[in-house]
Amino acid sequence: WSSDVCSSDLSPLQIAAVTAASTLPWLLLGLPAGVLVDRARRVRVMVVADLVRASALVAAAAGIGMHQVDFLALVALALIMGAGEVAFDLASFAVLPSIVNGAALEEANGQLFAVQIGCRDIAGHLIGGVLIGASRVWPFVVDAVSFTASATLLSGVTDPPVPPTERRRLLDEIREGVGYLFRDQVLRILALAAGVVNGVHLGQIAVLPLFALHRLYLPVSWYGGLLAVSSIGGIVGASLAERAARRFRRDRILVAALALLALQSLAIGVFPTTEVAFTGFFVAGAAMMAWNVVAVSIRQASVPSTLLGRVGSVYRLISWGTMPVGGVAFGILATRYGPSSAFAVGGLAMLAVTLALAAVLAQGLPVRTTSTETG
């Protein structure tokens, strides 16, 4: 939102800094937030996170209306919004298994991801464009209203009690979450695979404008179409993941989804045409969401409830920590060898990870379930 609302007032470097500030809390607060989520009532954490973000947005709207918001204020707002996202996301994924029966996790996660993509990536962008055309203040006001509405709806959700556990030092509890994930071979390979996919994805998104405009020769108005097609594919993939999980083994779904991601990327890199690119982005959106639904459901079903926040924070740190590296690496690659190389090399990297994942899952490693997977 910072680039849309204040692009005329900020330099490109400042806009990048505000964007980076919104993701920084995952690096700084992710692991401690996982401990908080495991200690506190999770729905309450979500409500507080929503109300804090709503309050920050109201303050920002007031400041913009009075022309009192500068670069540092936007950085502070980005940090608050990012911190709220960390707490909310970890709590939401941790609380779901105590609300939804374990057999319905894929269905619930599929619905959540589909609604998220539809509201955030499609409707949100369209509405945001209309609002910013009316006033710089309105995007902040409407966003604040949305967080307040979310907090109100969540207040009516039964908040599962926190199991009694012995309070220990923060570092000891973080170490327990880290150790649990790395001892579990399935969770470990899933986290590492997600890290490669996310690094490749962000790297390709970073060079996408160059690829679309100077390799595909698309009109500027068509550039957003690639992202829109990917979002539509994501809704389809999230919606179909639960049906696929009822018919096929989950390990085969994960390998197939990763293979599709690799093949579409290779196809775009080797055959950089408009038709291949649009088809590939649709397939990528569907495959990535199918992966997310099944992988998240496996984690929710196999990790004890008392560890879901911490294991989730470690998983997210691994899977998202590669994104800045991917952005820089693929930018350098595209500069030297052209934007198509980002898709060809990315496809090869994901193909290698697909083979590694298939080799690990072929050992017949069970996806452990716990008594806490049902509410």
Side-chain angles (χ1 to χ4, degrees):
W1 39 256
S2 64
S3 58
D4 290 335
V5 174
C6 303
S7 58
S8 61
D9 300 327
L10 300 181
S11 69
L13 179 60
Q14 288 175 321
I15 293 174
V18 173
T19 303
S22 68
T23 60
L24 189 60
W26 277 109
L27 178 62
L28 300 180
L29 304 177
L31 296 180
V35 176
L36 169 66
V37 166
D38 286 339
R39 287 180 177 179
R41 286 182 175 266
R42 287 157 178 170
V43 174
R44 186 177 302 171
V45 170
M46 297 164 68
V47 170
V48 171
D50 275 343
L51 293 178
V52 168
R53 287 184 286 181
S55 300
L57 287 164
V58 168
I64 290 173
M66 295 184 292
H67 304 285
Q68 297 295 318
V69 172
D70 58 10
F71 167 65
L72 292 179
L74 285 176
V75 170
L77 177 62
L79 290 170
I80 293 172
M81 299 299 290
E85 180 187 24
V86 170
F88 186 96
D89 280 11
L90 290 177
S92 65
F93 284 116
V95 78
L96 189 63
S98 61
I99 297 175
V100 178
N101 184 280
L105 279 175
E106 275 93 0
E107 181 180 4
N109 281 313
Q111 291 174 353
L112 285 173
F113 280 120
V115 170
Q116 185 182 60
I117 296 171
C119 293
R120 181 193 64 194
D121 297 340
I122 298 178
H125 288 165
L126 293 175
I127 295 172
V130 173
L131 292 174
I132 194 61
S135 168
R136 291 186 179 187
V137 174
W138 277 111
F140 292 88
V141 172
V142 172
D143 211 10
V145 170
S146 73
F147 282 116
T148 304
S150 172
T152 302
L153 292 172
L154 286 169
S155 297
V157 176
T158 301
D159 202 350
V162 182
T165 57
E166 179 185 355
R167 291 290 180 90
R168 290 166 292 157
R169 292 190 310 165
L170 179 66
L171 288 179
D172 290 338
E173 295 201 42
I174 291 175
R175 191 179 298 114
E176 185 179 10
V178 173
Y180 189 96
L181 184 142
F182 278 94
R183 284 193 301 270
D184 189 302
Q185 193 169 0
V186 171
L187 293 179
R188 185 171 68 246
I189 189 64
L190 291 182
L192 294 174
V196 173
V197 170
N198 286 335
V200 169
H201 177 69
L202 186 69
Q204 292 174 344
I205 291 298
V207 304
L208 183 59
L210 182 64
F211 177 76
L213 299 178
H214 301 294
R215 187 64 182 85
L216 298 181
Y217 305 105
L218 292 177
V220 175
S221 58
W222 282 39
Y223 164 67
L226 286 170
L227 300 179
V229 165
S230 178
S231 296
I232 294 171
I235 294 176
V236 173
S239 302
L240 295 179
E242 181 267 337
R243 299 179 190 176
R246 289 203 304 260
R247 297 187 58 184
F248 306 103
R249 286 172 39 179
R250 288 168 176 79
D251 56 345
R252 292 179 180 175
I253 296 173
L254 292 172
V255 172
L258 199 52
L260 282 174
L261 283 170
L263 293 175
Q264 65 80 27
S265 184
L266 278 171
I268 293 174
V270 177
F271 306 105
T273 66
T274 301
E275 295 79 8
V276 171
F278 273 88
T279 302
F281 269 72
F282 178 85
V283 171
M288 191 171 291
M289 278 302 107
W291 165 281
N292 284 341
V293 169
V294 175
V296 167
S297 299
I298 287 174
R299 191 169 77 238
Q300 290 168 327
S302 63
V303 177
S305 178
T306 54
L307 281 168
L308 274 170
R310 282 167 286 172
V311 173
S313 68
V314 178
Y315 188 99
R316 187 69 68 92
L317 189 63
I318 296 171
S319 62
W320 282 24
T322 57
M323 294 173 75
V325 178
V328 173
F330 280 78
I332 295 173
L333 186 69
T335 301
R336 295 193 63 177
Y337 300 106
S340 296
S341 64
F343 292 90
V345 173
L348 291 174
M350 289 190 289
L351 187 60
V353 174
T354 301
L355 296 175
L357 177 69
V360 171
L361 297 182
Q363 300 175 22
L365 296 174
V367 176
R368 293 178 290 102
T369 57
T370 72
S371 60
T372 61
E373 74 175 29
T374 58

